[in-house]
Amino acid sequence: MTTPADTETEAARLRETMTKALSEDGVLADPAWHHAVATVPRHRFVPGFFLPRDQVGQQGLTVWEPVTADLDHDRRLAAAYSNTTLITQFDGDEVDWTDPAVRHGGTPTSSSTLPSLVLRMWADADVREGHTVLEIGTGTGYSTALACQRLGSGGLTSIEIDGGRLQTAAGALSSCGFAPTLAVADGLYGYWPEAPFDRIVAACSFRAVPPALIAQTRPGGKILLTLSGWLYGYARVLLTVDQDGTAQGPLLPGTISFMPARTHAAPAFGSPAHWAAELPQEPRTARHGPEWLSAATEEAFHLRFLVQSTIPNAQMTYVGQAVHLVDVVTGSAATLTPHDGSGWAVREGGPVRLWERIEHLLDAYHAAGRPGPETFRLHVYGGEQHLQHPHLPHLALPRP
């Protein structure tokens, strides 16, 4: 029988191995963050989580297996000390970890983010001793614990929209001796009682920068957040807030994704067949195909974000070989189907010609030399948010 002492001994060994691996990957250049990872017991923050099976289940859905100490003690510890995101909740449903069930599909709504990304976020935000910090998205509390270990608990506030999640995280943080300010709150509105902040770091994504976050940041302070949208395009931005309440900053390189803030999640749009039935029957030949957006490449990841900025209310889905774009706000839609073996035919209708807008953007993107994310800057001013590039038209984010 495995005793608590055995668990802690094995956890310490695995934590040392993970810390060494992260160091070798260049993630832990700062000795203080190295000490935090080597010290904070991640397994206490993930008593239960889900891991995907290698093979999909019925209807192509991912099969998620629950992992707890009772079900598989060794697997739980090994996963807790791997550089892996551990899903702890689907569709906002609380899990009875004394008797968890296998899940088929579902939308993750809470997790313990992979440690390398947590550290990358804290480092990119340039968080230092003495800063007052707001973390949006407490989740399991592991990221919060790393920040407490690195900076102390006194200046750290962490908010979470899910009260059940926060209660579990609070218990784990307390058991490790950390006492940050915790609150159930919607990250869209920040947390005024503890403002102003020197740094705001979001572990969820937003369609646009929430104005409350800028208002709650000291002049010269920084906001690090992930922008996303209904096409599942993502970009990280590091904003510096000016004296006049405006903010600007670059998009950061690399590809990451975070769960959207729940109030920014995509709406249901019904059946693609219903939308396609209302489109003109006569197609035209598309200048660009959907592979520019669907490929498993960093460029496609970046392009989805740019496209999303030009048609912010559109969603994309695949049915067989057909690609459907649906805009529930304007009632516009487009459908692409393979044509002549190598090209695509497009039918589109409604007040916004969705695919035509995408084609114009792709034309400009190619003419500009296919610029990467780090060549763009986001400007937030006077209620407007524009993504700017010297050789591309400005792209407006949705009004927050």
Side-chain angles (χ1 to χ4, degrees):
M1 178 179 178
T2 302
T3 67
D6 293 335
T7 297
E8 293 304 318
T9 299
E10 178 63 7
R13 184 187 68 80
L14 292 170
R15 188 162 58 251
E16 181 180 1
T17 300
M18 182 182 76
T19 304
K20 181 180 179 181
L22 292 173
S23 297
E24 291 173 349
D25 289 341
V27 177
L28 291 176
D30 184 328
W33 284 115
H34 185 285
H35 176 71
V37 174
T39 304
V40 174
R42 190 187 187 201
H43 69 284
R44 295 192 194 176
F45 294 87
V46 283
F49 49 87
F50 292 92
L51 293 177
R53 286 182 184 169
D54 293 335
Q55 296 181 335
V56 298
Q58 295 179 351
Q59 301 178 330
L61 297 175
T62 301
V63 179
W64 295 92
E65 293 182 329
V67 179
T68 67
D70 289 339
L71 291 171
D72 193 329
H73 176 272
D74 292 342
R75 188 185 188 195
R76 175 200 166 225
L77 280 184
Y81 291 103
S82 64
N83 190 30
T84 305
T85 292
L86 305 174
I87 306 299
T88 55
Q89 186 190 72
F90 289 90
D91 304 315
D93 298 331
E94 287 297 327
V95 180
D96 178 5
W97 290 112
T98 64
D99 186 25
V102 172
R103 290 195 63 106
H104 295 263
T107 301
T109 49
S110 189
S111 68
S112 177
T113 304
L114 67 161
S116 62
L117 178 52
V118 170
L119 294 162
R120 181 178 170 188
M121 295 288 286
W122 286 124
D124 286 343
D126 191 25
V127 176
R128 302 177 187 176
E129 290 86 351
H131 279 163
T132 53
V133 179
L134 173 64
E135 177 191 38
I136 299 173
T138 313
T140 65
Y142 176 66
S143 173
T144 316
L146 290 176
C148 287
Q149 182 66 48
R150 170 69 174 83
L151 306 168
S153 300
L156 182 63
T157 298
S158 186
I159 61 175
E160 169 64 48
I161 197 170
D162 187 318
R165 296 286 86 205
L166 189 70
Q167 184 176 13
T168 301
L173 286 163
S174 178
S175 73
C176 294
F178 302 126
T181 298
L182 301 174
V184 177
D186 188 335
L188 193 64
Y189 305 102
Y191 198 61
W192 285 102
E194 296 296 320
F197 300 100
D198 296 299
R199 297 289 187 270
I200 295 179
V201 178
C204 61
S205 61
F206 298 94
R207 297 184 72 203
V209 181
L213 302 189
I214 295 176
Q216 293 174 31
T217 303
R218 287 191 177 93
K222 298 180 186 294
I223 302 170
L224 178 67
L225 53 75
T226 301
L227 298 170
S228 66
W230 298 347
L231 288 180
Y232 299 100
Y234 297 87
R236 287 191 311 147
V237 63
L238 181 61
L239 295 169
T240 300
V241 176
D242 298 324
Q243 290 281 352
D244 59 2
T246 62
Q248 61 177 306
L251 300 189
L252 301 182
T255 58
I256 68 166
S257 61
F258 273 113
M259 299 170 191
R262 296 190 185 183
T263 47
H264 280 196
F269 58 80
S271 168
H274 295 163
W275 292 85
E278 300 297 321
L279 297 177
Q281 293 304 305
E282 195 63 34
R284 66 173 177 85
T285 301
R287 295 200 307 277
H288 298 283
E291 62 275 4
W292 279 101
L293 309 180
S294 60
T297 64
E298 286 196 14
E299 184 177 38
F301 190 95
H302 171 50
L303 275 174
R304 280 198 298 276
F305 177 72
L306 298 183
V307 165
Q308 181 177 271
S309 299
T310 199
I311 49 170
N313 299 316
Q315 298 180 65
M316 182 181 290
T317 188
Y318 296 80
V319 179
Q321 291 186 301
V323 179
H324 299 277
L325 282 166
V326 172
D327 180 339
V328 300
V329 176
T330 67
S332 305
T335 293
L336 290 97
T337 52
H339 177 64
D340 288 342
S342 59
W344 292 82
V346 58
R347 296 185 297 126
E348 52 191 337
V352 179
R353 293 297 187 263
L354 299 174
W355 198 254
E356 186 175 319
R357 285 199 179 183
I358 291 175
E359 289 174 321
H360 287 317
L361 177 63
L362 289 174
D363 289 342
Y365 171 77
H366 284 279
R370 297 162 67 171
E374 63 280 1
T375 64
F376 290 81
R377 291 184 69 83
L378 182 66
H379 293 253
V380 183
Y381 54 93
E384 301 290 335
Q385 302 188 18
H386 285 98
L387 193 63
Q388 298 181 2
H389 186 277
H391 304 301
L392 286 172
H394 293 178
L395 299 172
L397 299 188
R399 280 188 172 271

